[in-house]
Amino acid sequence: MRTIAIPQLYCGASGQKGAYNRQEVGLARAFAALGCRAVVLYPDTDARKGENIVFEDLEPNVRVYYVPARAAGVSAFYRTWEPLLKEKVDAVHVMGDNALGVPGLYRFCKEHGIFFYSQLGAVKSTSQREFVRRTMDLLCKRNLNIYRKTPAYAKTPAVARQLESLRVPCAGVMPVGLDTAVIPASFGTKAEVRDYLGLEQTAKYLVFVGRLDDYKRPLDIVPVLAALPDEWRAVIIGTGALDTTLHDALKARRLSGKCICIPRLPNTEVQAYYHACDVFVNFNETEIFGMSLLEAMYAGCPPVARHAPGPDLIIEDGISGRFADTPAEFAAAILESAADPERGCAAQKRINEHFLWSNSAETALAMLEEREVPCHGQ
């Protein structure tokens, strides 16, 4: 049985116990479903070197380790790679992007005969501070040298083009997937979900889920809602620096009574809103991928989004969603999507066929077989 490790090389909340939709765990489940063992490594920056390494078995053939590490900004530097040897790992699946810990992991894998390959969502710094961006891009030239001599997959066609421009041969596009194991299986009919959530049965609803920060452009929902017919309402789930500004803008346009603003919700409740609403909106023109976009479409809530790397890959314009830019274009696309009963079904089909973690796992395993990567077994 082949064993694949998926180490997280960033420090943050995404890998902590109890965190929702951990990408590494979703991919691990997909590998296990295809007959492999999967080992996930998360950095524990509170643990000291020499402390016992904590692990948990989430399900058969899916084990998660929390390994002592130190942090340098958002990059994690593991104090030991012992679990890779203990678990007799055959290959590491690295979603390291421009993380500073990539070279150390690569050297360890090379020394111990562990196959190294990557699934990349960004290879250049996205910091708004020029000094930080330039410094990170300079440091991450080491990563590019590694990606040039190991299989490197891109999460989107935009990243594939960027890799090629940096003289990194791209092995193909391997999108991020949705982990359906963390999504409740059934919510009932739309009417039942609306009744549970206290939403009007006869109204139309658009839903926005994300940080209320500049890059997500949440203020754009105000002119869009104003351009829609009177029966339309908006649900905004998220919080951020623009909280007050958004409320003031809604009040100025006399739209406060047509908008439900929810700072935080358990993720099962967020899923319920996807099922209850008519259209999902995404205004971020730099969206790298968009997990909330995947979740909304999986629930059958058709999206209207701005062109960006993630939406451009996920949405089939006019089939599983629509693209728009100005408030008038958004309003027209929202009305069109809500009036088409097939749009939500097509959105759901799009995710089920192309954007589950099983797709990524199948691509990776086919590559490992083609390259005849040894399997140590257990």
Side-chain angles (χ1 to χ4, degrees):
M1 181 181 290
R2 177 168 278 121
T3 301
I4 300 172
I6 312 160
Q8 167 66 279
L9 292 174
Y10 289 94
C11 297
S14 61
Q16 294 179 3
K17 291 183 180 180
Y20 170 71
N21 200 15
R22 297 186 290 181
Q23 292 190 20
E24 297 79 14
V25 171
L27 178 58
R29 287 192 176 106
F31 279 130
L34 293 172
C36 298
R37 293 185 68 254
V39 179
V40 178
L41 275 64
Y42 286 120
D44 184 353
T45 55
D46 293 326
R48 295 182 179 180
K49 186 176 182 179
E51 287 188 16
N52 291 332
I53 299 175
V54 177
F55 71 85
E56 58 179 335
D57 290 321
L58 298 186
E59 56 191 66
N61 294 322
V62 176
R63 176 168 288 182
V64 177
Y65 280 89
Y66 300 93
V67 184
R70 59 186 178 85
V74 296
S75 287
F77 290 88
Y78 284 75
R79 297 185 184 277
T80 177
W81 291 111
E82 177 189 343
L84 299 183
L85 301 181
K86 179 181 178 181
E87 297 290 346
K88 300 180 181 179
V89 166
D90 302 297
V92 293
H93 181 117
V94 184
M95 293 186 269
D97 294 353
N98 52 10
L100 299 179
V102 168
L105 173 58
Y106 172 72
R107 287 194 297 271
F108 183 90
C109 290
K110 187 176 181 180
E111 179 181 351
H112 293 278
I114 301 171
F115 191 80
F116 181 108
Y117 69 99
S118 305
Q119 182 185 16
L120 306 172
V123 288
K124 303 282 283 185
S125 173
T126 57
S127 173
Q128 299 299 311
R129 298 164 59 189
E130 183 177 358
F131 173 75
V132 173
R133 189 170 61 251
R134 288 180 178 273
T135 301
M136 285 296 296
D137 286 343
L138 182 63
L139 289 171
C140 289
K141 286 185 177 180
R142 302 178 307 158
N143 293 18
L144 294 177
N145 288 334
I146 293 167
Y147 300 147
R148 288 187 182 109
K149 52 193 175 186
T150 58
Y153 289 88
K155 291 181 179 178
T156 65
V159 175
R161 291 190 293 271
Q162 189 178 42
L163 287 173
E164 296 292 349
S165 73
L166 294 168
R167 296 181 292 106
V168 177
C170 182
V173 174
M174 184 189 290
V176 167
L178 190 62
D179 182 7
T180 58
V182 301
I183 298 175
S186 176
F187 286 93
T189 66
K190 179 175 285 190
E192 290 171 337
V193 180
R194 285 193 175 190
D195 185 59
Y196 166 74
L197 296 173
L199 300 181
E200 300 173 48
Q201 291 291 350
T202 57
K204 295 288 187 181
Y205 284 91
L206 58 89
V207 58
F208 171 96
V209 179
R211 292 288 304 172
L212 302 188
D213 291 329
D214 281 333
Y215 74 102
K216 289 289 188 180
R217 299 187 63 168
L219 299 181
D220 289 4
I221 203 168
V222 178
V224 170
L225 184 57
L228 288 166
D230 188 58
E231 70 266 21
W232 277 87
R233 308 286 186 266
V235 175
I236 300 174
I237 303 174
T239 187
L242 296 177
D243 274 327
T244 302
T245 306
L246 176 60
H247 286 287
D248 290 345
L250 288 166
K251 185 177 180 180
R253 298 291 291 267
R254 298 182 179 180
L255 295 171
S256 298
K258 298 177 66 174
C259 192
I260 301 171
C261 296
I262 308 170
R264 293 178 182 84
L265 273 179
N267 289 291
T268 53
E269 296 275 315
V270 176
Q271 300 293 332
Y273 277 99
Y274 292 140
H275 284 269
C277 292
D278 299 284
V279 177
F280 172 86
V281 290
N282 189 318
F283 300 110
N284 184 3
E285 58 200 358
T286 61
E287 189 73 74
I288 294 175
F289 205 82
M291 292 306 297
S292 58
L293 172 61
L294 293 185
E295 292 178 345
M297 293 176 68
Y298 181 74
C301 186
V304 177
R306 280 201 172 91
H307 283 288
D312 283 350
L313 171 63
I314 299 166
I315 298 170
E316 307 155 291
D317 194 23
I319 301 174
S320 56
R322 283 300 312 273
F323 289 103
D325 187 22
T326 67
E329 289 174 353
F330 262 93
I334 288 168
L335 292 174
E336 175 192 313
S337 297
D340 183 357
E342 297 301 319
R343 192 67 55 86
C345 295
Q348 200 168 48
K349 180 181 178 183
R350 178 72 171 162
I351 304 307
N352 280 322
E353 292 184 353
H354 299 283
F355 296 100
L356 302 181
W357 276 118
S358 56
N359 302 117
S360 297
E362 288 169 0
T363 299
L365 292 178
M367 178 271 296
L368 295 176
E369 290 292 339
E370 181 180 342
R371 291 175 177 260
E372 299 181 347
V373 174
C375 176
H376 295 107
Q378 285 291 324

